Amino acid sequence: MVDLFDFQNNAEDEKGDDGRLIYSVTQINSEIKTILEDSYRSVWICGEISGFKQYSSGHMYFSLKDENSQISAVMFSFHNKNLKIELKDGMQVLVYGKITSYINRGTYQIQVYHVEEKGIGSLREAFEKLKKKLAQEGLFDSSHKKEIPYLVNKIGVVTSKDGAALHDILSVLDRRFSNVEILIYPVRVQGEEAKFEISNAIRYLNENHKELDVLLVGRGGGSLEDLWAFNEEIVARAIYNSDIPIISCVGHEVDFTIADFVADLRAPTPSVAAEIVAKNRTDLEEKLSMIKKRIVNNITNIVELYDEKVKFFKNCRALSKPYEIYEEKIQYIDELNEKLIFNINNLILNKQQILKLNTQKLDLLSPLKTLSRGYSVCFKNGEVVKKTDQVVKDDILNINLSDGSIKTKVL
């Protein structure tokens, strides 16, 4: 049970003459807050995230909804700093927290302590299913995407006439390229009829305004439900079949739709889309001036380079004084010839010295040198007689002396 003591005491001062207990707004809201927090200290709730926002403080605010109802939710930064998943619109989650109320507004909500992803919501599931289907059919292939013209003369815009997107686009175009023609085809960008109006607009402009250089198709930011028209198959196929190049510009930089994948180019915001197609004339003139300057510099550098080469060849001795080259070569050949003769003579002299030395060595070892000192050599039948038992009486021997030979008989 909730203790109402304080409230009753405070309220007693407000009793009317008829004895009725009268609360102030703050008192009744405070009492309801206490009742809710005491009754639902810890609850688990399953639902789909919608309208998710996170402020610079880190606090997160969103709604949890099912088919028939929704409840506001808040997750303060000190609870979400360790969050393991990134919360997005369309996610089916299981949250844990307590039911409380915001006294200043008299609204109740769940203060979330913990979040678990239960699944991707029905919209997210439909998104992924269609994305997979169209990808398999080749609607996202880069080979089918048309090039966005660098300079445009006429732009078509398919968006809401009352939305901030159109205002942003017109502001950028007026500031950056005021003389560009703009054809606006207003459509609904939210609700059941939006997908038909957007697809019809794309087809109409292709059939009746072929002079358009590019189409900007999109809207400002919003929740997944708000952007859903750009996730419809009929819109995706209209974009794919367009002969005019299309830039999708749906939502904010973090928002991605099926239209973004099919379009020839995705711009993160409508303003960026306008900046892409409307090149600033001053920027273009500066770019052309820079290109011109670069061309002149390159030509000047080439001329100077070849001028230096001409001067080099003009002053080159091979062309101006070719005979000097031959004179130097002749002198060089003479020097080589002189060195060659000198080296050959040294080689011959060296070989002569070696020959003389070897001759002297051979002469010392020659048997003729021994004979000149009074020795002789005795031969029998052409063989040297070294011992007495090699001869017998009456053998004929030849005795070689230093100055001739003597034939003798053994007695």
Side-chain angles (χ1 to χ4, degrees):
M1 294 296 295
V2 178
D3 187 357
L4 304 180
F5 179 76
D6 292 335
F7 298 110
Q8 290 174 349
N9 286 343
N10 292 334
E12 285 178 356
D13 295 336
E14 301 297 330
K15 284 184 178 180
D17 295 337
D18 55 2
R20 289 180 296 178
L21 180 61
I22 301 173
Y23 292 91
S24 68
V25 174
T26 300
Q27 287 173 337
I28 195 66
N29 280 343
S30 297
E31 184 171 337
I32 291 173
K33 177 180 175 69
T34 303
I35 293 172
L36 287 173
E37 290 182 353
D38 285 350
S39 302
Y40 301 96
R41 293 179 181 274
S42 59
V43 293
W44 288 91
I45 301 179
C46 177
E48 180 180 316
I49 292 179
S50 176
F52 177 83
K53 291 182 180 179
Q54 183 170 8
Y55 291 91
S56 58
S57 60
H59 306 322
M60 297 177 176
Y61 297 88
F62 53 94
S63 295
L64 287 175
K65 68 176 186 177
D66 55 23
E67 295 179 356
N68 302 312
S69 184
Q70 68 177 21
I71 183 174
S72 297
V74 58
M75 191 173 191
F76 296 118
S77 58
F78 46 84
H79 285 138
N80 65 44
K81 62 181 179 180
N82 295 320
L83 196 60
K84 303 297 183 183
I85 58 175
E86 181 181 359
L87 301 187
K88 299 178 181 178
D89 286 346
M91 289 178 61
Q92 284 283 351
V93 293
L94 192 62
V95 304
Y96 172 77
K98 70 176 180 180
I99 302 298
T100 181
S101 70
Y102 185 38
I103 294 177
N104 291 352
R105 294 182 181 175
T107 58
Y108 78 94
Q109 61 190 7
I110 177 171
Q111 183 177 331
V112 180
Y113 302 144
H114 174 74
V115 181
E116 296 177 4
E117 186 173 11
K118 183 174 177 58
I120 57 175
S122 57
L123 290 179
R124 182 62 61 180
E125 184 177 2
F127 174 90
E128 294 297 338
K129 184 177 180 180
L130 180 59
K131 180 182 174 183
K132 182 178 180 181
K133 173 186 175 182
L134 298 182
Q136 291 175 344
E137 292 184 23
L139 269 69
F140 303 160
D141 291 352
S142 58
S143 58
H144 295 296
K145 296 187 183 297
K146 295 172 283 297
E147 186 176 357
I148 306 301
Y150 180 76
L151 288 176
V152 298
N153 296 313
K154 198 166 185 179
I155 301 171
V157 181
V158 178
T159 189
S160 171
K161 63 182 179 65
D162 301 319
L166 180 58
H167 175 269
D168 293 342
I169 290 172
L170 295 178
S171 297
V172 172
L173 294 178
D174 182 63
R175 184 178 71 251
R176 294 179 62 86
F177 212 166
S178 58
N179 63 343
V180 69
E181 290 187 60
I182 305 170
L183 178 60
I184 302 171
Y185 194 117
V187 295
R188 278 180 282 189
V189 293
Q190 187 173 338
E192 186 61 29
E193 297 301 318
K195 60 183 178 182
F196 300 111
E197 293 190 11
I198 296 170
S199 58
N200 289 337
I202 295 172
R203 282 193 290 270
Y204 175 84
L205 293 175
N206 271 270
E207 294 172 0
N208 299 280
H209 293 278
K210 299 181 184 296
E211 75 280 5
L212 292 174
D213 296 308
V214 67
L215 290 181
L216 306 187
V217 180
R219 56 154 291 160
S223 65
L224 182 62
E225 297 94 326
D226 297 336
L227 307 181
W228 192 253
F230 297 91
N231 289 320
E232 296 285 0
E233 184 173 357
I234 188 173
V235 173
R237 296 195 180 278
I239 293 174
Y240 179 77
N241 293 324
S242 173
D243 293 325
I244 304 172
I246 291 181
I247 298 178
S248 66
C249 46
V250 183
H252 301 301
E253 189 169 354
V254 296
D255 298 319
F256 278 87
T257 63
I258 297 295
D260 294 325
F261 296 109
V262 184
D264 299 297
L265 183 67
R266 174 194 179 254
T269 65
S271 297
V272 174
E275 291 174 358
I276 291 173
V277 299
K279 306 296 182 184
N280 189 295
R281 284 178 296 180
T282 303
D283 293 341
L284 184 59
E285 290 173 358
E286 290 178 356
K287 188 171 184 179
L288 291 174
S289 176
M290 186 181 301
I291 293 173
K292 179 181 177 181
K293 185 177 180 180
R294 190 180 303 164
I295 291 174
V296 172
N297 289 338
N298 289 339
I299 293 176
T300 302
N301 291 336
I302 292 172
V303 171
E304 290 178 353
L305 174 64
Y306 281 98
D307 184 60
E308 290 296 325
K309 287 186 177 182
V310 170
K311 289 180 181 178
F312 171 78
F313 287 119
K314 180 180 178 181
N315 298 324
C316 180
R317 287 193 303 165
L319 298 176
S320 61
K321 298 179 180 179
Y323 58 87
E324 290 186 357
I325 297 177
Y326 292 106
E327 288 176 354
E328 288 186 359
K329 297 301 181 183
I330 291 172
Q331 184 177 352
Y332 179 66
I333 291 173
D334 288 340
E335 291 178 355
L336 288 180
N337 185 53
E338 186 177 348
K339 289 181 180 180
L340 180 62
I341 293 173
F342 176 78
N343 290 334
I344 291 176
N345 289 335
N346 283 342
L347 181 62
I348 293 174
L349 183 61
N350 185 46
K351 296 298 182 181
Q352 287 175 343
Q353 292 293 336
I354 294 173
L355 178 61
K356 184 178 179 180
L357 179 61
N358 289 336
T359 301
Q360 290 175 352
K361 290 180 179 180
L362 290 174
D363 188 54
L364 292 175
L365 298 175
S366 174
L368 296 177
K369 197 73 172 177
T370 304
L371 294 177
S372 67
R373 295 199 301 271
Y375 292 93
S376 63
V377 181
C378 185
F379 293 90
K380 177 184 175 180
N381 299 326
E383 294 184 1
V384 177
V385 178
K386 297 179 180 180
K387 296 181 179 181
T388 57
D389 58 4
Q390 290 181 257
V391 300
V392 295
K393 185 180 177 180
D394 296 328
D395 282 344
I396 300 300
L397 301 178
N398 290 322
I399 300 173
N400 288 349
L401 303 173
S402 62
D403 60 348
S405 62
I406 300 174
K407 181 178 288 187
T408 185
K409 183 177 180 180
V410 178
L411 299 177

